[in-house]
Amino acid sequence: MMGGIVRMTQHSALARASRSRVPACCSARYNLALLAFFGFFLLYALRVNLSVALVDMVEPNTSLAKNVTSNVCPEHSSTINVPRNTTGEKYSWDADTQGWILGSFFYGYIITQIPGGYLASKIGGKLLLGFGIFGTSVFTLLTPLAANLGVGYLIAVRALEGLGEGVTFPAMHSMWSSWAPPLERSKLLSISYAGAQLGTVVSLPLSGLICYYMNWIYVFYIFGALGVLWWFFWMWLVSDTPEAHRSISHAEREYILSSLKDQLSTQKTVPWRPILESLPLWAIVVAHFSYNWTFYTLLTLLPTYMKEILRFDAQENGFLSALPYFGCWLCIILSGQIADYLRQNRNLSTVCVRKCFTLIGMIGPAVFLVAAGFIGCNYALAVAFVTISTTLGGFCTSGYSINHLDIAPSYAGILLGITNTFATIPGMVGPVIAKNLTHNNTVGEWQTVFYIAASINLFGAIFFVLFASGEVQDWAVSGYHLRRNWK
């Protein structure tokens, strides 16, 4: 036991010494994080722009039932007296149809999660991630045409976008299993995945402005074109592994490879049974499912809540809907730095950091989300509580969200594919359930939506704290297969 502690101490000291010789600035691994950041920025911009555009795509008299709260809460007026563009096509889609349109993305998204993780482990994540975003961008460009052809075509195109996006997170996790030194995982992954939140921050208000001044079709044309442009840079600058990178320094390559040498498996086959029997994996599954219920419900329906309950117009709606995700983006960046600081300099165990950050990132949002339903027409408090709720959720990125790399670096893409498959279910059913619960669009109905999300969050946090692990599992290293055969 003492020998193990000594080796861990020596390994930690060597790792710190190596890091001092391999600065982060302009390094290949941080360049990868930055390019991934922009990729996920566009990925979420492509995902959420429909949430704002849909408000403009639907005829007012066929949208939701008359809002009972509108008799209580006075309507806000825009501070910018510029005539609104009204040339965009309008469609007669009722509340249920809108719910299916918003949820259709996830029917494609759920299909490619596990196959994406498996393919990334075989052929590398570069091509999967690149073509996943490229395909999503192309189908986004086709969205206005699909809407004109009919609601069935629009649902099909959104499902195809989901197919493209489904491979992206498993592919990125798979790449980080070869690129991220253990004591830099929180920093590197938080930078790359924080792009998703900033994409939401920019996309929501920008989509509102485009709808207001131009036409809702340009929401899809602009973001789709940017996604295609990003693809060229990704294919040109990125490599699957440090060994294959054209311009990485020798010192950085050796630092990354030496830090990972005892954590990766050379086994060609995937240990499916031990993976599926792993309780730490199911702890991540439950936490991921629970967090995403709240995240996807707000992501798809927050613009509707802002319009129908708080009664902000399209311009204010876009900016205020984005505010919670700006807070989340800041929290993700800061929590990644704090998590690795606690592990490196305060000697907190990995599992302790992951559990603490997950608790903060799930129980905190649950409390403030419930509170948001009880403040009546106090607009400032409503926006503040929803913002705090979503901001605190950013802690989860350094909690359960990267725990796959802690317990099985070699199979991180596959593990994320498994957990994200379950975590996609809330995106499929959450908006539909919420739309069905808010037919009359009253404060009481939205309180029910918030109650459900908070309860699921609380359960997921408790389950993760009880059963999560921070150690590489036996089945995730090469020797496990040899020991099983010997026994």
Side-chain angles (χ1 to χ4, degrees):
M1 181 66 180
M2 287 300 295
I5 294 174
V6 170
R7 284 194 298 273
M8 287 176 63
T9 304
Q10 290 173 340
H11 177 74
S12 179
L14 287 171
R16 281 194 289 269
S18 299
R19 282 199 307 277
S20 66
R21 295 195 298 269
V22 186
C25 182
C26 300
S27 65
R29 64 193 188 280
Y30 277 88
N31 287 342
L32 172 61
L34 190 61
L35 200 53
F37 172 91
F38 286 113
F40 284 102
F41 174 98
L42 290 168
L43 201 67
Y44 265 65
L46 296 170
R47 182 185 298 194
V48 307
N49 53 19
L50 181 63
S51 299
V52 176
L54 190 63
V55 175
D56 246 34
M57 295 167 71
V58 177
E59 292 178 358
N61 61 340
T62 58
S63 184
L64 299 174
K66 182 169 176 63
N67 178 15
V68 176
T69 315
S70 64
N71 296 323
V72 179
C73 297
E75 185 168 1
H76 288 248
S77 59
S78 175
T79 56
I80 304 175
N81 296 316
V82 178
R84 181 189 182 89
N85 184 288
T86 56
T87 60
E89 190 75 31
K90 301 288 185 181
Y91 304 100
S92 301
W93 298 331
D94 60 20
D96 291 339
T97 302
Q98 293 175 55
W100 286 109
I101 291 171
L102 291 172
S104 60
F105 168 91
F106 299 99
Y107 287 90
Y109 190 69
I110 196 171
I111 293 173
T112 49
Q113 292 294 321
I114 296 176
Y118 179 77
L119 285 173
S121 70
K122 296 299 181 183
I123 66 172
K126 173 185 174 178
L127 290 177
L128 273 181
L129 181 58
F131 280 100
I133 296 180
F134 178 80
T136 303
S137 302
V138 170
F139 286 117
T140 297
L141 291 169
L142 295 174
T143 299
L145 174 61
N148 275 329
L149 291 174
V151 67
Y153 289 94
L154 178 58
I155 288 174
V157 164
R158 287 293 291 177
L160 288 170
E161 286 183 42
L163 285 174
E165 283 203 25
V167 302
T168 54
F169 280 94
M172 190 74 255
H173 250 47
S174 182
M175 289 186 71
W176 281 127
S177 70
S178 299
W179 275 98
L183 291 178
E184 294 186 37
R185 280 177 185 151
S186 301
K187 294 177 185 175
L188 290 167
L189 272 77
S190 65
I191 290 171
S192 56
Y193 293 143
Q197 303 302 327
L198 192 62
T200 305
V201 168
V202 174
S203 176
L204 286 172
L206 186 56
S207 296
L209 289 173
I210 293 170
C211 288
Y212 194 91
Y213 291 109
M214 299 170 67
N215 187 318
W216 61 260
I217 64 171
Y218 293 106
V219 170
F220 303 103
Y221 291 154
I222 291 171
F223 288 114
L226 288 174
V228 173
L229 179 64
W230 171 90
W231 177 78
F232 286 102
F233 286 98
W234 177 261
M235 299 302 291
W236 178 38
L237 297 172
V238 167
S239 298
D240 278 311
T241 63
E243 297 97 317
H245 199 278
R246 293 191 299 270
S247 59
I248 188 174
S249 68
H250 175 74
E252 184 181 9
R253 182 187 291 113
E254 290 304 309
Y255 162 55
I256 295 172
L257 295 178
S258 63
S259 70
L260 294 170
K261 66 179 181 180
D262 296 326
Q263 298 207 354
L264 299 178
S265 172
T266 57
Q267 194 71 23
K268 297 297 183 183
T269 58
V270 177
W272 288 107
R273 183 173 177 178
I275 286 176
L276 296 176
E277 291 176 348
S278 174
L279 192 56
L281 171 62
W282 288 103
I284 303 174
V285 168
V286 173
H288 203 167
F289 176 95
S290 303
Y291 175 82
N292 273 18
W293 187 283
T294 299
F295 180 79
Y296 283 138
T297 298
L298 287 179
L299 188 68
T300 54
L301 295 178
L302 192 56
T304 300
Y305 178 74
M306 291 288 187
K307 179 188 178 186
E308 303 296 339
I309 296 295
L310 300 181
R311 307 194 72 207
F312 292 103
D313 68 17
Q315 286 177 291
E316 296 169 304
N317 191 339
F319 283 104
L320 292 174
S321 294
L323 188 59
Y325 300 102
F326 178 73
C328 189
W329 173 70
L330 286 177
C331 186
I332 287 173
I333 296 293
L334 293 175
S335 65
Q337 303 295 315
I338 295 169
D340 279 347
Y341 171 80
L342 292 174
R343 295 168 66 216
Q344 292 173 20
N345 300 94
R346 296 298 177 183
N347 294 322
L348 285 184
S349 67
T350 298
V351 70
C352 178
V353 171
R354 301 294 182 236
K355 288 181 178 181
C356 289
F357 278 53
T358 299
L359 273 177
I360 297 171
M362 295 184 76
I363 292 181
V367 171
F368 283 97
L369 196 58
V370 170
F374 288 91
I375 42 76
C377 294
N378 190 324
Y379 309 108
L381 267 184
V383 173
F385 283 177
V386 172
T387 299
I388 294 171
S389 175
T390 308
T391 297
L392 291 174
F395 278 94
C396 284
T397 301
S398 295
Y400 79 82
S401 188
I402 61 174
N403 194 219
H404 317 74
L405 282 159
D406 298 323
I407 65 173
S410 293
Y411 307 107
I414 294 173
L415 264 57
L416 182 62
I418 293 171
T419 67
N420 218 13
T421 296
F422 288 94
T424 301
I425 295 172
M428 297 164 63
V429 303
V432 176
I433 291 174
K435 283 284 187 181
N436 279 292
L437 289 173
T438 56
H439 270 299
N440 295 316
N441 224 36
T442 65
V443 168
E445 289 174 340
W446 279 93
Q447 285 175 350
T448 302
V449 171
F450 292 157
Y451 268 135
I452 292 172
S455 300
I456 293 173
N457 248 21
L458 182 61
F459 173 76
I462 294 172
F463 194 93
F464 184 82
V465 167
L466 290 176
F467 300 112
S469 173
E471 303 296 326
V472 177
Q473 302 297 289
D474 288 341
W475 48 263
V477 292
S478 299
Y480 170 78
H481 305 275
L482 298 175
R483 289 197 302 274
R484 283 195 65 192
N485 292 335
W486 182 76
K487 288 178 180 178

